[in-house]
Amino acid sequence: MKNTKVVLQKRPDGAVSESDMVLVEETIAPLEPGEVMLEVEHLSVDAFIRTTFDEGAFHGTAGLGQPIMALGTARVVDSRFEGLNQGDAVFGPMGAQTHAKLPGAMLQKLNEDELPARCYLGVLGLATGMTAYAGMVKVAQVSKDDTVVVSAAAGAVGSCACQVAKNLGARVIGIAGGAAKVDYLLNEIGCDAAVDYKAPDLADQLAEAAPDGVDVFFDNVGGDILDAVLLQINERARVIICGAVSQYERTGDVQGPTNYLKIPEKNASMLGFTVMRFAEDYPEIQAAITEWVLSGQLKLPEQVESGIDQFPRALTLLFSGGHMGKLLVAP
Ligand SMILES: NC(=O)c1ccc[n+]([C@@H]2O[C@H](COP(=O)([O-])OP(=O)(O)OC[C@H]3O[C@@H](n4cnc5c(N)ncnc54)[C@H](OP(=O)(O)O)[C@@H]3O)[C@@H](O)[C@H]2O)c1
């Protein structure tokens, strides 16, 4: 079986560029007992992938010349693993490649009766919809009395997080870059207000969008945006650190929040989380999301780039603001 994989050829110094990655062709060895041969159908383009390009990364460091980490869905083309057969759809750590040979025990067989397999990377995905749900429901414990702000709101996690908070009855304000994303947040995602952080007046826009202050900040970005929202938080606010995409391409130290004294002044809390903390709750979270999707209360637009050669460019789009909703590559 022939495979084309994307490997890391050089560690980026700051912003990731397409030339940091290169395509390599290989022949995959025959299956050993317990293994499965897969044709990859969709790869999830996630912000965490960029962090694996650096030494000492939380999610593990990508080796030079090694396939880039990526979650994906695939079709079984051959199996020596009991429980998986030719034609089954699976989810797992595919890596950025067209084909994969993996132990069957590392794969989750997908039920395609209600939703297509690629939804397990997006609205039902561990690093997307399930992260948004866990952060809003389990960590922030959002209620109808809350004014909720979400950063990177037009991205994958952000688009879901806004809708989860709306479904819990909150007033929701999305922050994203540019007029097209503001329009998307208001007209596709159903935010009550949207703020363009690339415009010069972020603080004024935030004050106008949240005249009564902010009860919950679901932060995907960190840096200057975190600092701007901290100035607007209410008494007992919950600042939830989901991620800090503005810091993943830094060359020096992480920029911590300058305005963190607002936390004690407002008797507020700042809580971080990883979705893995809620592993015991995954079935419950997937069931709740599926119900919302089927009832039309939760949707996640997808942007699908075709061809494994598009994977390097797709990864750069996450940091240049070049996509809306869930970014996928169909190799
Ligand atoms: N805690 C967890 O378990 C967990 C799990 C999965 C993901 N995450 C986090 O969730 C966040 C979103 O990840 P995702 O994979 O869904 O990506 P995404 O939101 O689809 O893409 C990243 C978005 O970040 C925005 N962005 C990039 N650089 C920025 C900057 N310097 N300043 C402001 N905004 C910037 C871009 O939108 P604009 O055009 O608006 O700039 C882009 O759309 C990341 O922080 C990620 O680490 C956390």
Side-chain angles (χ1 to χ4, degrees):
M1 174 75 67
K2 294 276 181 213
N3 179 38
T4 305
K5 59 188 181 181
V6 186
V7 306
L8 184 66
Q9 69 169 350
K10 130 173 118 52
R11 298 201 183 283
D13 182 20
V16 65
S17 87
E18 291 179 48
S19 62
D20 296 328
M21 295 160 259
V22 68
L23 294 181
V24 173
E25 300 206 346
E26 64 178 7
T27 301
I28 304 182
L31 291 180
E32 301 287 337
E35 291 184 332
V36 180
M37 196 71 80
L38 301 161
E39 187 174 333
V40 179
E41 291 188 337
H42 287 97
L43 291 166
S44 181
V45 185
D46 292 309
F48 86 85
I49 295 171
R50 168 63 186 87
T51 68
T52 68
F53 291 1
D54 295 330
E55 299 283 3
F58 172 69
H59 293 286
T61 296
L64 292 177
Q66 294 300 308
I68 286 164
M69 285 182 213
L71 298 171
T73 55
R75 196 67 52 185
V76 174
V77 292
D78 195 6
S79 175
R80 294 189 67 186
F81 177 76
E82 205 176 321
L84 284 176
N85 298 307
Q86 192 180 3
D88 286 344
V90 294
F91 162 83
M94 300 301 160
Q97 53 191 345
T98 58
H99 297 80
K101 182 172 74 108
L102 290 172
M106 289 174 69
L107 301 167
Q108 179 195 344
K109 185 175 170 180
L110 299 177
N111 177 347
E112 298 176 278
D113 292 344
E114 291 179 315
L115 295 169
R118 67 175 189 282
C119 287
Y120 289 86
L121 302 177
V123 75
L124 275 171
L126 184 64
T128 304
M130 290 176 71
T131 297
Y133 186 101
M136 281 295 177
V137 176
K138 306 275 180 189
V139 186
Q141 300 183 3
V142 166
S143 80
K144 64 177 175 41
D145 301 321
D146 289 324
T147 293
V148 175
V149 173
V150 177
S151 59
V157 172
S159 294
C160 291
C162 290
Q163 294 171 83
V164 169
K166 280 298 292 177
N167 290 344
L168 298 170
R171 175 176 154 72
V172 178
I173 299 156
I175 303 178
K181 292 194 175 184
V182 165
D183 183 66
Y184 164 87
L185 289 172
L186 295 174
N187 297 313
E188 291 278 330
I189 298 301
C191 288
D192 298 288
V195 165
D196 175 5
Y197 77 87
K198 288 185 176 165
D201 54 349
L202 176 60
D204 293 344
Q205 287 188 73
L206 272 173
E208 193 180 321
D212 298 326
V214 174
D215 301 303
V216 171
F217 179 35
F218 187 104
D219 188 21
N220 291 311
V221 172
D224 294 341
I225 290 179
L226 172 57
D227 265 325
V229 179
L230 280 173
L231 293 178
Q232 312 277 346
I233 60 173
N234 285 335
E235 191 70 17
R236 308 266 176 110
R238 291 93 80 201
V239 176
I240 309 300
I241 308 298
C242 175
V245 70
S246 73
Q247 303 301 305
Y248 299 163
E249 301 209 301
R250 72 190 184 280
T251 47
D253 293 338
V254 169
Q255 178 189 339
T258 304
N259 296 328
Y260 83 99
L261 287 183
K262 288 291 163 198
I263 299 288
E265 287 168 18
K266 294 288 184 179
N267 294 295
S269 57
M270 188 181 270
L271 287 169
F273 78 100
T274 67
V275 67
M276 283 92 85
R277 174 183 150 198
F278 299 98
E280 280 183 3
D281 302 324
Y282 289 169
E284 172 210 322
I285 294 174
Q286 282 204 338
I289 292 175
T290 303
E291 206 175 306
W292 276 341
V293 173
L294 295 177
S295 67
Q297 287 175 278
L298 182 56
K299 63 178 180 184
L300 181 56
E302 293 161 351
Q303 181 171 325
V304 183
E305 305 290 326
S306 293
I308 192 66
D309 57 322
Q310 293 303 307
F311 188 91
R313 188 181 66 84
L315 190 59
T316 69
L317 292 182
L318 283 188
F319 300 93
S320 61
H323 80 293
M324 287 194 243
K326 180 68 196 178
L327 188 56
L328 298 169
V329 168

